[in-house]
Amino acid sequence: MSKKRGLSLEEKREKMLQIFYESQDFFLLKELEKLGPRKGVITQSVKDVVQSLVDDDLVFKDKIGTSVYFWSLPSCAGNQLRNVYRKLESDVQSSKRRLAELTDQCNALKKGREESDEREEALSNLKKVEEKYNELKDEMTEYADNDPAAFEAMKDAISVAHAAANRWTDNIFTLRQWCSNNFPEAKEQLEHMYQEVGITDDLDYLEMPALEN
């Protein structure tokens, strides 16, 4: 049997953030160390994981009296991610402008096709800017995919669909019971009709899937 893989640092950060988002409460470190293992984060690593979230402004802490409390709300994280996204977008635009400038320089140097130190330096800078531009694009995609507001909207949509499915299931059960009460002599015909339209004996209410942030 293969050994179960432990959580990565990013996975541990996500698990600890779930604790804050689900409760929207304030915690002491010792309380988080008790809750962490329930999410798969061992007690010994909780402190470092929480501190990394504090360093990235995804979790906040403050000293009240002699105790230090930690907290984080989905709205706070969403604002932080949007600020980071805007900063990255600004960096990308700056990189685009710099890329255009270096491209113009490169084209000017190519006119005579003479090899020179200036041309080689410009080409080297152009390559570095292109690499930086691609890195920033990847980071922007990552932050967009993890936007808490988008995730909450998805959860709301799933909740509405789940309620609607169970409401129709309830309607089907009610209709079947009404038919059985009013047409007991047609039981076999009714069962045959149910089978034809896909209403089988294993029809049941849907359970709400567990969603993780």
Side-chain angles (χ1 to χ4, degrees):
M1 183 180 293
S2 60
K3 186 177 180 180
K4 186 177 180 181
R5 181 183 68 87
L7 297 177
S8 66
L9 175 59
E10 194 57 36
E11 289 172 332
K12 292 178 182 178
R13 283 160 56 93
E14 291 177 3
K15 296 292 185 183
M16 293 307 299
L17 278 176
Q18 287 177 22
I19 294 175
F20 290 105
Y21 294 167
E22 290 171 358
S23 65
Q24 300 188 23
D25 203 353
F26 296 81
F27 297 96
L28 296 170
L29 180 60
K30 62 181 181 180
E31 293 173 330
L32 293 171
E33 289 175 337
K34 291 180 180 179
L35 295 172
R38 300 180 186 177
K39 292 289 187 179
V41 182
I42 61 175
T43 301
Q44 293 85 342
S45 63
V46 168
K47 181 178 180 180
D48 291 337
V49 173
V50 172
Q51 185 57 49
S52 73
L53 294 172
V54 172
D55 294 339
D56 290 343
D57 293 331
L58 294 176
V59 169
F60 304 91
K61 72 175 183 179
D62 203 358
K63 188 173 183 180
I64 303 176
T66 58
S67 301
V68 177
Y69 287 87
F70 298 84
W71 76 94
S72 180
L73 301 175
S75 58
C76 296
N79 290 334
Q80 177 65 17
L81 288 172
R82 280 187 283 275
N83 290 336
V84 173
Y85 184 90
R86 284 193 288 269
K87 175 64 167 58
L88 289 173
E89 189 174 30
S90 176
D91 290 343
V92 168
Q93 294 303 320
S94 298
S95 295
K96 283 184 177 180
R97 289 192 294 270
R98 181 58 177 160
L99 178 61
E101 293 173 0
L102 291 174
T103 301
D104 291 340
Q105 294 179 21
C106 183
N107 291 334
L109 289 172
K110 282 182 179 180
K111 288 182 179 179
R113 303 299 299 173
E114 301 88 359
E115 295 292 336
S116 65
D117 293 339
E118 290 80 8
R119 181 172 181 272
E120 291 298 324
E121 182 179 358
L123 289 173
S124 177
N125 289 336
L126 177 59
K127 184 177 180 180
K128 291 178 181 179
V129 171
E130 288 176 336
E131 292 174 350
K132 182 64 175 178
Y133 173 68
N134 290 329
E135 289 177 5
L136 291 171
K137 282 181 64 179
D138 291 340
E139 286 188 47
M140 287 178 65
T141 300
E142 179 181 348
Y143 278 101
D145 291 341
N146 290 281
D147 186 356
F151 183 77
E152 289 301 320
M154 180 188 71
K155 288 204 300 184
D156 290 343
I158 291 176
S159 179
V160 171
H162 173 262
N166 281 340
R167 186 166 58 250
W168 278 104
T169 300
D170 193 54
N171 290 340
I172 291 172
F173 286 151
T174 301
L175 180 60
R176 288 185 64 173
Q177 187 61 48
W178 185 87
C179 290
S180 297
N181 293 339
N182 290 273
F183 307 103
E185 69 282 356
K187 180 179 179 180
E188 291 185 4
Q189 292 90 330
L190 288 172
E191 289 297 332
H192 181 70
M193 182 187 68
Y194 297 150
Q195 293 292 331
E196 285 186 341
V197 297
I199 302 176
T200 59
D201 292 337
D202 59 356
L203 177 68
D204 202 352
Y205 295 99
L206 295 175
E207 293 185 1
M208 185 66 176
L211 297 177
E212 295 185 354
N213 289 338

